[in-house]
Amino acid sequence: SAVISQKPSRDICQRGTSLTIQCQVDSQVTMMFWYRQQPGQSLTLIATANQGSEATYESGFVIDKFPISRPNLTFSTLTVSNMSPEDSSIYLCSVEAMTSPLRNEQFFGPGTRLTVL
Amino acid sequence: QKEVEQNSGPLSVPEGAIASLNCTYSDRGSQSFFWYRQYSGKSPELIMFIYSNGDKEDGRFTAQLNKASQYVSLLIRDSQPSDSATYLCVGAGGTSYGKLTFGQGTILTVHP
């Protein structure tokens, strides 16, 4: 399994500001993913971040709102831009386990709990 | 239509009973299925995976997959209060290769 850390673990922000969330993995991984989990909801994939290429965003998420960087195989950042109270969520990064491709197993970071006032 | 649909819950069982969690999926190409457990305020953790038809047992947990019926289940035997959590049924592969498709989750409460 991979050990994943995220910073910050939580933050309270004012509307209109931006927050950058960092995700660090203890081993090199090809695919990293960013999810959002709104209160009482399941996880929704925001985008897939691959090193050396632009992130691939899911329907309903755009690069201007959620820019992502992936400078190397162990690190990624997600920025939540021009925040509004609707962005209050837990943001999680995950990595694909280096096991059989058939499994597509993912390990999750501890999450960043964001509250926008 | 949700791609992975779980029985809505919440589910409440007495300690020592069997908890049965079910889900169905719509993408016939899905290859792997996972059950993640998520405690309140924590990130999801993988407890079971299955990709072949039939049953897979691991301790008190049994995952079942029926690809013909597009049905996945998780049985928890001898339920303990520490099993109280949200259980997420997750599909992978198929038309969304490399991505996970999450069900909405089932809240399980095991009461003493």
Side-chain angles (χ1 to χ4, degrees), chain A residues 48-105:
Chain A
T48 303
N50 295 321
Q51 195 266 339
S53 64
E54 292 285 331
T56 304
Y57 289 82
E58 297 300 301
S59 176
F61 298 96
V62 295
I63 188 171
D64 289 348
K65 175 67 175 178
F66 297 102
I68 287 171
S69 77
R70 182 80 199 274
N72 57 52
L73 292 174
T74 63
F75 186 79
S76 179
T77 67
L78 169 76
T79 299
V80 186
S81 303
N82 188 24
M83 289 184 285
S84 67
E86 291 72 34
D87 294 320
S88 297
S89 287
I90 298 173
Y91 292 86
L92 299 117
C93 72
S94 76
V95 302
E96 189 172 66
M98 303 304 287
T99 54
S100 165
L102 181 64
R103 287 171 51 172
N104 300 125
E105 181 178 341

Side-chain angles (χ1 to χ4, degrees), chain A residues 7-57:
Chain A
K7 290 182 182 179
S9 58
R10 58 177 62 229
D11 207 342
I12 300 173
C13 302
Q14 297 295 321
R15 70 172 67 209
T17 63
S18 297
L19 176 72
T20 295
I21 302 168
Q22 300 179 6
C23 179
Q24 180 75 53
V25 190
D26 69 339
S27 57
Q28 294 184 339
V29 294
T30 303
M31 299 180 77
M32 295 181 76
F33 304 88
W34 286 98
Y35 290 85
R36 180 175 73 183
Q37 187 171 28
Q38 294 177 303
Q41 303 294 313
S42 189
L43 279 72
T44 301
L45 181 64
I46 297 172
T48 303
N50 295 321
Q51 195 266 339
S53 64
E54 292 285 331
T56 304
Y57 289 82

